[in-house]
Amino acid sequence: MRIGVVTFPGSLDDRDAQRAVRLAGAEPVALWHGSHDLDGVEAIVLPGGFSYGDYLRCGAIAAQSPIMTEVVAAANKGLPVLGICNGFQILVESHLLPGGLIRNDHGDFVCRDQRLRVENADTAWTNAFSAGDEITIPLKNGEGGFIADAETLNRLEGEGQVAFRYLEKNPNGSLNDIAGLTNARGNVVGLMPHPEHAVEAGFGPDTDAAMRSGIDGLKFFTSILESTLARA
């Protein structure tokens, strides 16, 4: 399986996302923000970072880049897309996911291993989990507070579009402790934590078993392989 990873000016975690794709058993394909060519990939990852320096709003300029014209069109036809941190912000700015992401309520950049609960395990990117699973994924953001109006929040909750929820501590003031969302179709998922930083023992979060042994993030990338096989 070939999974595209888009690089924008200011992307930080594109190489990490490519490595996660490779460790899951797929082939990472580098895609450039200024291109209109998706190179025939079967899924796309929008990685973390500070695209275009976070000018205007995080993800706002990246959402207008040439590659996103193609990503939006392909996602609307069912292509799986995962947005991580800045990638989540880009998905929101592109209106592939609802709501908005604003400055953390405490005003500080946060970097920590974050406990999450999987709320929706029926998406292209979460099917290797079970609903209710509790996982640990690294988090690093300054503008990760999810907001939406009451009607949108009620719809997201009622229709099962909350994909992940913060546990133990809400790190940024996100409404309803929302850490990640899915679209109604289940092919587009965005979240603020970074699963690509929890894919290899020795380099992930600490666990009860050993330091740096957490690999909960790998299931995001194996999920998409399983989804593709199921569709074949």
Side-chain angles (χ1 to χ4, degrees):
M1 181 180 180
R2 301 171 73 248
I3 300 178
V5 179
V6 180
T7 297
F8 301 92
S11 292
L12 293 179
D13 297 304
D14 45 344
R15 296 296 181 88
D16 301 78
Q18 290 176 26
R19 181 170 178 77
V21 167
R22 190 176 296 111
L23 287 171
E27 176 188 351
V29 178
L31 300 176
W32 183 238
H33 75 110
S35 172
H36 281 281
D37 185 4
L38 297 183
D39 200 13
V41 299
E42 298 166 83
I44 287 176
V45 177
L46 303 180
F50 303 91
S51 60
Y52 296 90
D54 280 349
Y55 293 124
L56 300 182
R57 295 181 307 276
C58 297
I61 298 177
Q64 305 302 316
S65 64
I67 196 77
M68 286 307 298
T69 301
E70 312 307 326
V71 171
V72 170
N76 285 331
K77 294 178 181 177
L79 185 76
V81 180
L82 175 67
I84 302 170
C85 195
N86 188 231
F88 184 17
Q89 295 162 340
I90 295 169
L91 290 176
V92 169
E93 292 288 342
S94 301
H95 305 295
L96 285 172
L97 292 174
L101 291 153
I102 63 172
R103 187 73 184 168
N104 296 347
D105 61 348
H106 45 73
D108 295 325
F109 188 92
V110 61
C111 183
R112 64 193 302 263
D113 291 339
Q114 177 67 50
R115 295 284 294 166
L116 304 174
R117 183 170 60 243
V118 179
E119 300 285 13
N120 187 328
D122 295 323
T123 80
W125 298 95
T126 63
N127 62 77
F129 298 105
S130 297
D133 281 354
E134 296 185 5
I135 62 177
T136 301
I137 301 291
L139 174 78
K140 49 178 186 174
N141 67 73
E143 299 190 31
F146 178 76
I147 59 169
D149 60 37
E151 181 180 352
T152 299
L153 278 175
N154 289 336
R155 176 172 57 81
L156 292 172
E157 296 284 4
E159 297 181 5
Q161 288 183 239
V162 176
F164 300 95
R165 212 178 300 270
Y166 295 118
L167 291 179
E168 298 176 359
K169 179 179 180 180
N170 185 323
N172 46 36
S174 289
L175 297 179
N176 291 19
D177 297 328
I178 291 172
L181 298 174
T182 177
N183 66 346
R185 191 170 184 171
N187 62 303
V188 177
V189 171
L191 75 163
M192 289 309 298
H194 286 257
E196 79 282 13
H197 295 324
V199 295
E200 188 173 13
F203 300 93
D206 294 342
T207 71
D208 293 338
M211 293 177 60
R212 306 292 186 186
S213 62
I215 57 170
D216 288 337
L218 190 60
K219 287 187 176 182
F220 287 77
F221 303 96
T222 57
S223 287
I224 190 60
L225 270 68
E226 294 174 12
S227 294
T228 302
L229 288 172
R231 294 197 307 270

